[in-house]
Amino acid sequence: MSSSPSPAPRPSRGAAAAALVAGPALLLTGVLLMLTPDAWTVSHLVFLAGTLAMLPAGVVLHGLLRDAAPSWVGRSGLALTVVGALVLAGQFVIDLVVMQLAAGESQTAGAMFDLIQASPTFALTFYTAGPALLFAGLAVYGAAMLLRSGPRHQPGWALVGGTLVMGVARVAGTRPGEVAGLALILVALALTAGSAAGGAGWPAGGAAWA
């Protein structure tokens, strides 16, 4: 006698809320550490962890907002977030490997970075357009929040604003601007996580999260 497969386990609301906050918190910590002398390796490792932590954050946002906008909006946000996070993680892996190969010598590492970024395709993929996809995906999620009233509406402004500030800061190459942008993103996802932990704004009947 055959039996139907049991449904895949759902993350608890607490775990989902933690997933929303962990990524931006690690990214913000990593950038703050980049402002600290002699914290290059630690800051890059923390930021790398943050980029990987944005993967579950993107999945949670997709589940949370799946009824807030047309399905293609949610799928676009998820695809952009996942691809952007992976590419940004790749950038930081490259940076860490280069520094290891250069044995910590800044001049040698600088020459290697110049050689790597001499390829327009490589530079575009890992250092400019590619990483921007992460923040484009978050902006899509923020726009989806703005389509709704209630708990999912308020964080949308902070999320869209944070992604815009982050984009300008990365183009201008200003760390304080990146701090401001990531702080806004963290606030937005923390507000969303607070609603999630309390059950507000989550899919009706708890269908997506236990």
Side-chain angles (χ1 to χ4, degrees), residues 101-143:
L101 293 175
E105 292 291 335
S106 58
Q107 282 190 326
T108 303
M112 294 175 70
F113 282 127
D114 290 342
L115 182 61
I116 289 172
Q117 296 188 40
S119 166
T121 302
F122 199 91
L124 185 69
T125 300
F126 287 99
Y127 287 91
T128 54
L133 296 179
L134 168 60
F135 304 102
L138 293 176
V140 169
Y141 284 136

